[in-house]
Amino acid sequence: MDESSLISYIEKNSRERLRFNNSLLIKSIGDDTAIFRDKNNILITSDTLTENTHFKIDYYSFDKIGAKALLANISDIASMGGTPRFFILSLLIPEYLTEENIKETIDGIIETAKNDKISLIGGNISKASEFSICITLLGDYTDKKTVLRYCARDNDLIFVSGNIGNSWLSYYIMENKKYIDEITVNGLKAKKFKIDKKTIKFIEDFAKENLIHPSRVKLGKILASNKLANSLTDISDGLYKDINNLLNNNKDKNSEVSIIVDNIPLSDDFKHIVNILDLKDIDVFNNVISFGEDYELLWSANTTNSKKLSEIAKKERIKISKIGSITNIYSNNYTNTNNNINANAGNTKKKNKINFIYKNKPFFVTPMTFKHI
């Protein structure tokens, strides 16, 4: 498929299926730039998915790879309480991809855009040695109805949406597929369950389905418009790192947080597969906390908002879980009870402390770095 044919395919499909935000759009695909007007504040985010770093083409279908590329950007807009409007798509295409592969990727992107009423307004196509998808997404929000990630307050409670850990478990399954197919786990027979072909299919389907995640745009807007979050972000880099992001509200302040590991929400399928594979709790939670790419929302809120958040969870049918609290925010420069200046006085380097507690005992997390798929 040559470049002109591919552009025509993208333009035709986006024009037919993404007829949104026309009142804001002056010029779309076909000129050197797109032109749009917007009376609200503009949000801009960009993300790139690269083969063998963020995904492997022999693990997942191309429509899911395309969907994930856009959903990663949508999650950023959701975490600001904004509305996604337009996106620009750049494809770096290797010669070994077929026309069907490319069309399937585009269809996954367009179908995902349709779900959140987002319009494609331009992009670029280029040859490359590996497959990459780069998307820049533009959104907006009405005045004073956004939430920044760095505004957590003393005594705030910490909440997450949905389930955490599905992305990591999908990664684990795909990376250890040959062991599961051989009905072994790290070379040892699983003793708790009989791993038959039906069970293997259940495990593999879980991995394929959880490459993508639900859009949380509606929840982000609810949190922002009702002032139910003091700080807000999405879980892209891992729960451990993203909690730190909530706490970096002031370079002169340190924060102490308690996270109840038992309260981190896990799906029933996740728990079942972990039991089948006989994985240890300490390894499971260490990976769940470190991995990332869950793209659920993570926020801090006043204790008085707990009841309202429970009502929203029930009304919108979204799982919202309280996983911890900010127990202390204090200055680097402080005086002790003997009026002696603390040894750290003048040291403005932040030293946030996150206390993880599991089954009423300290849980020591080893932050991990992953090559995601």
Side-chain angles (χ1 to χ4, degrees), residues 340-368:
N340 295 319
I341 300 299
N342 184 274
N344 287 327
N347 179 7
T348 58
K349 185 177 180 180
K350 287 184 63 61
K351 294 181 180 179
N352 294 327
K353 183 178 181 181
I354 304 177
N355 302 307
F356 290 94
I357 301 165
Y358 181 54
K359 295 183 177 178
N360 296 316
K361 294 180 180 179
F363 182 87
F364 299 100
V365 174
T366 304
M368 305 175 76

Side-chain angles (χ1 to χ4, degrees), residues 317-334:
R317 297 182 179 180
I318 298 174
K319 182 187 286 189
I320 293 177
S321 304
K322 180 178 69 176
I323 63 169
S325 61
I326 299 174
T327 53
N328 196 15
I329 295 180
Y330 55 92
S331 173
N332 278 322
N333 303 312
Y334 66 91

Side-chain angles (χ1 to χ4, degrees), residues 85-104:
R85 299 289 188 187
F86 306 109
F87 72 102
I88 298 168
L89 171 65
S90 293
L91 296 173
L92 280 72
I93 303 173
E95 292 184 355
Y96 52 80
L97 290 192
T98 66
E99 180 177 327
E100 183 180 352
N101 296 154
I102 299 166
K103 285 184 175 180
E104 192 177 340

Side-chain angles (χ1 to χ4, degrees), residues 12-28:
K12 180 177 182 293
N13 276 271
S14 63
R15 190 189 309 115
E16 291 176 354
R17 298 166 65 185
L18 303 179
R19 295 180 178 178
F20 310 115
N21 307 301
N22 287 339
S23 63
L24 304 177
L25 196 59
I26 298 171
K27 182 64 180 176
S28 184

Side-chain angles (χ1 to χ4, degrees), residues 60-271:
Y60 300 106
S61 62
F62 282 89
D63 62 324
K64 283 187 167 58
I65 292 170
K68 179 180 179 179
L70 183 54
L71 282 165
N73 285 272
I74 291 172
S75 185
D76 285 335
I77 300 293
S79 69
M80 300 295 289
T83 301
R85 299 289 188 187
F86 306 109
F87 72 102
I88 298 168
L89 171 65
S90 293
L91 296 173
L92 280 72
I93 303 173
E95 292 184 355
Y96 52 80
L97 290 192
T98 66
E99 180 177 327
E100 183 180 352
N101 296 154
I102 299 166
K103 285 184 175 180
E104 192 177 340
T105 302
I106 293 165
D107 289 346
I109 293 170
I110 289 177
E111 188 61 29
T112 303
K114 183 180 177 182
N115 292 338
D116 273 307
K117 299 181 179 180
I118 311 169
S119 297
L120 175 62
I121 58 172
N124 185 58
I125 298 168
S126 179
K127 292 182 179 180
S129 58
E130 288 187 320
F131 188 29
S132 288
I133 307 169
C134 181
I135 292 177
T136 298
L137 179 61
L138 296 91
D140 62 16
Y141 68 94
T142 54
D143 195 31
K144 297 181 181 179
K145 288 189 177 180
T146 189
V147 187
L148 304 180
R149 68 159 63 155
Y150 299 127
C151 300
R153 301 173 185 173
D154 205 358
N155 298 316
D156 271 5
L157 300 177
I158 296 177
F159 296 87
V160 295
S161 64
N163 293 305
I164 310 302
N166 287 352
S167 182
W168 164 72
L169 188 55
S170 296
Y171 168 88
Y172 178 88
I173 291 166
M174 289 302 186
E175 286 292 279
N176 294 278
K177 187 175 183 297
K178 64 179 181 179
Y179 298 114
I180 296 171
D181 287 347
E182 294 168 2
I183 318 178
T184 63
V185 181
N186 295 328
L188 299 174
K189 293 283 183 180
K191 298 178 180 179
K192 290 188 177 182
F193 295 87
K194 179 183 178 182
I195 305 182
D196 52 20
K197 290 183 178 180
K198 184 178 179 181
T199 304
I200 291 173
K201 185 178 185 305
F202 167 73
I203 293 171
E204 291 179 349
D205 286 348
F206 173 92
K208 292 174 183 177
E209 290 166 5
N210 282 285
L211 175 68
I212 59 175
H213 49 275
S215 165
R216 296 302 185 196
V217 169
K218 186 175 182 180
L219 177 59
K221 291 168 72 172
I222 290 172
L223 294 175
S225 61
N226 291 282
K227 298 182 178 180
L228 294 173
N230 292 328
S231 59
L232 177 62
T233 189
D234 65 333
I235 303 174
S236 54
D237 296 325
L239 193 58
Y240 183 89
K241 287 185 179 179
D242 289 315
I243 288 172
N244 265 298
N245 286 338
L246 292 185
L247 303 177
N248 291 331
N249 60 325
N250 190 312
K251 69 178 182 179
D252 297 323
K253 298 287 181 71
N254 293 324
S255 304
E256 187 168 353
V257 175
S258 292
I259 299 296
I260 309 302
V261 175
D262 314 59
N263 291 351
I264 295 174
L266 308 173
S267 71
D268 290 339
D269 285 350
F270 180 102
K271 295 174 185 177

Side-chain angles (χ1 to χ4, degrees), residues 31-87:
D31 216 313
D32 292 322
T33 73
I35 307 172
F36 71 95
R37 64 171 71 87
D38 201 328
K39 64 181 180 180
N40 295 322
N41 299 305
I42 305 299
L43 301 167
I44 303 175
T45 185
S46 185
D47 207 346
T48 299
L49 261 64
T50 302
E51 182 185 353
N52 296 320
T53 298
H54 302 98
F55 64 87
K56 292 183 179 179
I57 60 175
D58 54 343
Y59 282 5
Y60 300 106
S61 62
F62 282 89
D63 62 324
K64 283 187 167 58
I65 292 170
K68 179 180 179 179
L70 183 54
L71 282 165
N73 285 272
I74 291 172
S75 185
D76 285 335
I77 300 293
S79 69
M80 300 295 289
T83 301
R85 299 289 188 187
F86 306 109
F87 72 102

